[in-house]
Amino acid sequence: MLYYPVHTRCKHNITKDNGAEGFMDQLAKSKWLNEQKMYSASNDASLPIFTYIAENLRSELHKFSSGVEYAQITGDLKGLDGPKYSAQAMLKLIECYLDYIDQVESFKQTEPVSLSALLSSVMSSMSGFANWQQCDLDLQVMGKYQPVMANREVLKTVLTSLSSILILAQSEIVHRTRPVVTFVVRKTKAGISAGIYSSVNAIDSKTLKTARQLYGKPGNPTSKSLSNGSAGLFMADSLLGKMSNGLKVSKFNNMQGLSANFEVSQQIALV
Amino acid sequence: MKKILIVEPDNELGKQYQSLVIGQGYQAKLAQSSDDALSLIDSYSPDVVVLELQMIEHNGLELLYELRSYVDWDDIKIVLNTSVKQSLLKKSPVYSRLNIAKYLYKPDTPPSKLLSAIESVVSS
């Protein structure tokens, strides 16, 4: 989408003839933007995603070092919360990547997993980060459900990564009331759905589509900042595709978010 | 007292920068998007804008182009604090026309270096 100045004091007369559109075309074609696409030009399939992760890690490490220096300059120990969460975010990203590259082995080891208990555990682990990002967490379990067969550790990594992304995405949107990120387990036609939803519109279908298209390219579709990363969204999407019907944008109680539907294990059902 | 506008989409970094700039004796406001930045430039009239280029909806180059379109804002000094490498920016045909006072490569720029850069631009 081209962006033309609309301010009444603009000294340029905004018409095609005056070159405003020409500038934007030049910008779009300029190497600066095309640079972002060149990382995908690789014969090594693992290189693009690793480049994506490297961009994410670079951003988090910069925040980490800035946070430490900020705490040193100001003497405010609360300033060290930022580096702590940056380090945790980097660790989650690396965990997600390790699971991503080890998918074949991971998915051989499945067990009955209670989605309600798992989401509750994830919510508990994210409460500090959410509070620091000035949002609240909530859990809604819409009934008693049977366990699903999944690799518990991989699923926990994925759900943690998704909740981290959603919490971070809403933090970059200006909102009047304190937002709430809600973890939901409910029954749908496709099975048991585990989802994470936000009271502010941080994720939509276009965002998820962009995330999938961004494979191999640096960029963060969930945040207004391209410098922050969500390689985790791509990897979570890929991993959930193996465990469930795949990640999708969905709605719950006027909230929008991300969810995946899991089929109840037939073995468990027979037992 | 000089007025600084920090345009930084990352909430955490933006608040840190704002706090440190205020601690140096300046006034400082924070914008997290190009639209917010334009509104604040209009109402706040900053002397210096510290700008990250990588913003999704309207990136920083688009913001700069608009800013440099207005005669009233010709005197606003721009400090780029961005993850986009300068070698790439220089390949853009419009970069030289944007009158950037200082370029900083964000991964190599700790807060102290940013503060020094703002100080040098303000006093120049």
Side-chain angles (χ1 to χ4, degrees):
Chain A
M1 182 175 111
L2 300 181
Y3 180 59
Y4 294 103
V6 295
H7 200 285
T8 54
R9 292 185 293 174
C10 179
K11 70 182 176 187
H12 293 311
N13 182 18
I14 306 303
T15 63
K16 287 188 183 183
D17 295 335
N18 206 34
E21 184 172 303
F23 163 74
M24 286 303 170
D25 285 342
Q26 285 176 12
L27 193 62
K29 290 172 190 171
S30 74
K31 284 195 176 179
W32 173 64
L33 287 179
N34 286 335
E35 179 77 4
Q36 298 206 24
K37 298 176 187 174
M38 70 183 270
Y39 292 124
S40 63
S42 168
N43 292 326
D44 184 346
S46 66
L47 187 59
I49 188 66
F50 189 76
T51 305
Y52 198 9
I53 291 164
E55 288 265 329
N56 291 184
L57 289 176
R58 182 183 67 174
S59 172
E60 287 298 327
L61 280 167
H62 170 69
K63 284 167 67 173
F64 184 97
S65 70
S66 287
V68 170
E69 184 167 329
Y70 172 81
Q72 287 174 330
I73 292 172
T74 60
D76 180 10
L77 288 180
K78 284 188 181 174
L80 289 174
D81 282 345
K84 178 176 81 176
Y85 291 119
S86 284
Q88 289 176 0
M90 287 188 279
L91 286 168
K92 286 184 190 75
L93 185 65
I94 290 167
E95 278 303 318
C96 214
Y97 178 65
L98 290 173
D99 287 336
Y100 174 77
I101 60 175
D102 196 28
Q103 290 178 48
V104 172
E105 283 307 308
S106 295
F107 291 112
K108 287 179 184 172
Q109 300 153 15
T110 59
E111 58 184 306
V113 176
S114 164
L115 290 176
S116 314
L118 189 61
L119 273 183
S120 176
S121 168
V122 168
M123 188 182 90
S124 192
S125 71
M126 298 303 297
S127 59
F129 180 62
N131 192 42
W132 180 68
Q133 291 286 2
Q134 296 176 330
C135 88
D136 293 323
L137 299 182
D138 187 25
L139 174 67
Q140 293 196 29
V141 180
M142 310 305 288
K144 282 189 177 179
Y145 305 111
Q146 290 165 311
V148 300
M149 292 302 287
N151 182 302
R152 178 186 299 276
E153 291 309 313
V154 171
L155 189 51
K156 186 174 181 183
T157 301
V158 164
L159 291 172
T160 304
S161 180
L162 284 176
S163 55
S164 174
I165 288 164
L166 207 56
I167 290 168
L168 191 60
Q170 64 75 34
S171 79
E172 296 189 0
I173 297 171
V174 178
H175 30 65
R176 291 178 190 166
T177 58
R178 192 169 161 107
V180 180
V181 170
T182 305
F183 297 77
V184 177
V185 181
R186 57 180 171 146
K187 196 154 188 182
T188 65
K189 290 177 190 174
I192 300 174
S193 166
I196 307 172
Y197 299 87
S198 170
S199 59
V200 297
N201 190 13
I203 303 276
D204 54 22
S205 300
K206 185 183 167 190
T207 301
L208 187 58
K209 186 179 174 185
T210 307
R212 288 175 174 145
Q213 287 171 344
L214 273 177
Y215 175 63
K217 305 168 190 174
N220 177 14
T222 64
S223 160
K224 290 188 175 185
S225 166
L226 281 175
S227 60
N228 286 336
S230 64
L233 181 60
F234 172 79
M235 290 186 288
D237 184 32
S238 178
L239 289 167
L240 276 173
K242 303 245 182 328
M243 285 189 276
S244 65
N245 293 345
L247 189 65
K248 58 180 183 175
V249 175
S250 61
K251 286 190 176 180
F252 175 78
N253 282 0
N254 294 326
M255 296 183 288
Q256 193 158 279
L258 298 165
S259 69
N261 288 311
F262 297 82
E263 290 179 7
V264 175
S265 162
Q266 296 304 316
Q267 293 165 320
I268 302 287
L270 284 172
V271 170
Chain B
M1 191 185 288
K2 294 291 183 182
K3 292 192 275 188
I4 314 294
L5 174 64
I6 296 158
V7 185
E8 171 56 62
D10 186 292
N11 193 32
E12 176 197 345
L13 272 181
K15 285 184 177 171
Q16 280 177 11
Y17 293 158
Q18 184 182 20
S19 172
L20 289 171
V21 167
I22 290 171
Q24 286 291 105
Y26 302 109
Q27 291 182 43
K29 290 205 181 222
L30 173 64
Q32 288 186 262
S33 68
S34 288
D35 291 340
D36 290 345
L38 280 172
S39 299
L40 277 172
I41 290 169
D42 207 8
S43 60
Y44 179 55
S45 301
D47 300 292
V48 178
V49 174
V50 179
L51 176 64
E52 163 62 75
L53 292 180
Q54 291 185 312
M55 293 182 281
I56 278 199
E57 287 174 0
H58 300 301
N59 64 52
L61 272 188
E62 295 174 40
L63 168 65
L64 272 177
Y65 178 74
E66 169 140 8
L67 191 151
R68 291 304 183 216
S69 299
Y70 306 138
V71 178
D72 296 356
W73 296 343
D74 273 347
D75 292 336
I76 295 177
K77 295 176 186 173
I78 304 295
V79 174
L80 284 187
N81 183 33
T82 177
S83 299
V84 180
K85 293 186 178 173
Q86 193 174 32
S87 55
L88 290 173
L89 289 175
K90 284 182 175 175
K91 290 176 184 174
S92 166
V94 300
Y95 181 67
S96 57
R97 286 154 44 189
L98 295 174
N99 192 17
I100 308 298
K102 191 98 181 167
Y103 167 86
L104 298 168
Y105 182 54
K106 190 189 256 182
D108 288 343
T109 305
S112 53
K113 189 173 173 183
L114 176 62
L115 290 175
S116 298
I118 293 172
E119 179 77 34
S120 71
V121 167
V122 163
S123 56
S124 65

